[in-house]
Amino acid sequence: MRFSLLKLSSFSIIISISMALFSDLELAKSASPDYTNLIYKGCAREQFSDPSGLYSQSLSAMFGSLVSQSTKTRFYKTTTGTTSQTTITGLFQCRGDLSNNDCYNCVSRLPVLSGKLCGRAIASRVQLSGCYLLYEVAGFAQISGMEMLFKTCGKKNIAGTGFEERRDTAFGVMQNGVVSGHGFYATTYQAVYVLGQCEGDVGDSDCNGCIKNALEKAQVECGGSSSGQIYLHKCFIAYGYYPNGFHRDPPSSNTYGSSGSSSSSGTTGKTVAIIVGGTAGVGFLVICLLFVKNLMKKKYDDY
């Protein structure tokens, strides 16, 4: 009888420990930020020659300036270089709803990512879910602010359900909001979440035109898809349908699946973290089981 009670008590302890352990893992998973997920990268084909190291010095100084400014503003543009030939213009922008701390955490990843993804390209743009970084050496060919850089559309098509009408109404509200909000606006309308943002140095009129262009492209490119993201050179929009409740973060490329060239590196990183956490949890559980087993053996021998 004593052995049975001890066994039952030990089993209860193990269950309690397991529940607490995996509850913590789920909490850690849900608390993981997704604003650092890689969306896309754009790299110039030409690499710069740098025998004197001047380009590297300019680039390093520019990165340092951008990262330091990200602690106090969501948009910053600067130019570095000792000569006209080594001048580099760079900027970063964070999503308008990110805190200063989140903005810094996002931007501080970009210099390393730019180097890994684009090497010594004379121009580079790296877009994460919550921020992006762009730099160009002097003389790099400029492109239209309306040029589409990247798109992704959800795989789930819900056309004909009234979704498109709700989405288009939300689009209209968001377009007006971006202009009145001077470059950023996010809202939800009948379970459709929409977000729009223009580059920080774009005026209200040009911002309105850019957002309008992006929304029209979303209607054409994504049709009845339940989610989508359209990135133009000077602005971007994102939308998603959340029938089960509002989600704070912008629609990701994973909303009901996606089609496009978005990277999955952010998701992979989360998966690795969960696997490592789960492995540690199982290891701890095994230690607990061995401890209880030894305790039970001692009690049984005494009995």
Side-chain angles (χ1 to χ4, degrees):
M1 180 67 177
R2 184 180 173 186
F3 175 76
S4 299
L5 289 173
L6 179 60
K7 185 175 181 180
L8 180 60
S9 176
S10 301
F11 182 73
S12 299
I13 293 171
I14 294 169
I15 291 297
S16 299
I17 293 172
S18 302
M19 289 178 67
L21 188 63
F22 288 104
S23 175
D24 288 343
L25 287 174
E26 285 302 312
L27 180 61
K29 176 183 174 182
S30 63
S32 299
D34 67 356
Y35 56 79
T36 58
N37 289 347
L38 177 65
I39 302 296
Y40 73 88
K41 52 97 175 178
C43 312
R45 293 181 180 178
E46 184 180 348
Q47 302 279 307
F48 59 76
S49 175
D50 191 25
S52 63
L54 292 178
Y55 274 117
S56 296
Q57 291 175 22
S58 295
L59 198 59
S60 179
M62 184 206 66
F63 284 155
S65 177
L66 294 179
V67 171
S68 66
Q69 289 295 321
S70 68
T71 61
K72 48 194 172 185
T73 184
R74 296 187 185 89
F75 174 80
Y76 185 73
K77 189 174 185 178
T78 188
T79 299
T80 61
T82 55
T83 68
S84 59
Q85 288 76 27
T86 60
T87 298
I88 301 176
T89 298
L91 65 85
F92 79 82
Q93 182 163 25
C94 289
R95 215 171 60 213
D97 58 347
L98 259 60
S99 67
N100 287 342
N101 185 58
D102 287 344
C103 183
Y104 168 77
N105 287 336
C106 192
V107 173
S108 61
R109 300 167 186 257
L110 290 170
V112 173
L113 274 176
S114 179
K116 286 183 177 180
L117 296 172
C118 295
R120 298 161 66 86
I122 62 173
S124 166
R125 180 174 182 135
V126 179
Q127 175 79 53
L128 305 184
S129 297
C131 65
Y132 71 89
L133 178 147
L134 165 69
Y135 76 80
E136 301 170 345
V137 300
F140 186 76
Q142 299 299 298
I143 63 175
S144 166
M146 302 293 184
E147 182 168 335
M148 186 163 70
L149 304 178
F150 179 83
K151 71 164 185 178
T152 180
C153 306
K155 291 180 179 179
K156 185 171 182 178
N157 191 307
I158 52 178
T161 62
F163 162 73
E164 289 156 296
E165 290 77 8
R166 294 194 297 273
R167 179 204 63 191
D168 291 347
T169 299
F171 278 178
V173 173
M174 184 264 284
Q175 182 180 347
N176 292 331
V178 170
V179 176
S180 62
H182 306 295
F184 176 82
Y185 189 74
T187 189
T188 183
Y189 173 79
Q190 293 189 5
V192 180
Y193 180 77
V194 288
L195 178 151
Q197 185 167 25
C198 292
E199 191 171 289
D201 55 356
V202 174
D204 290 345
S205 179
D206 289 338
C207 178
N208 181 60
C210 191
I211 291 293
K212 180 181 178 182
N213 193 305
L215 294 175
E216 290 172 350
K217 289 185 182 299
Q219 291 168 328
V220 173
E221 300 288 342
C222 294
S225 294
S226 59
S227 65
Q229 297 179 57
I230 302 292
Y231 289 85
L232 306 188
H233 183 46
K234 291 293 185 178
C235 68
F236 81 93
I237 65 99
Y239 72 92
Y241 181 49
Y242 295 99
N244 297 320
F246 171 71
H247 192 279
R248 176 193 174 277
D249 294 313
S252 70
S253 57
N254 295 326
T255 307
Y256 293 115
S258 65
S259 58
S261 56
S262 58
S263 170
S264 62
S265 62
T267 304
T268 303
K270 285 184 181 180
T271 303
V272 170
I274 293 166
I275 290 173
V276 171
T279 303
V282 172
F284 182 72
L285 187 59
V286 169
I287 292 171
C288 291
L289 285 169
L290 291 173
F291 173 79
V292 172
K293 180 181 177 183
N294 290 333
L295 181 63
M296 289 167 60
K297 184 177 185 298
K298 184 177 183 302
K299 293 287 184 180
Y300 182 75
D301 289 341
D302 291 341
Y303 180 76

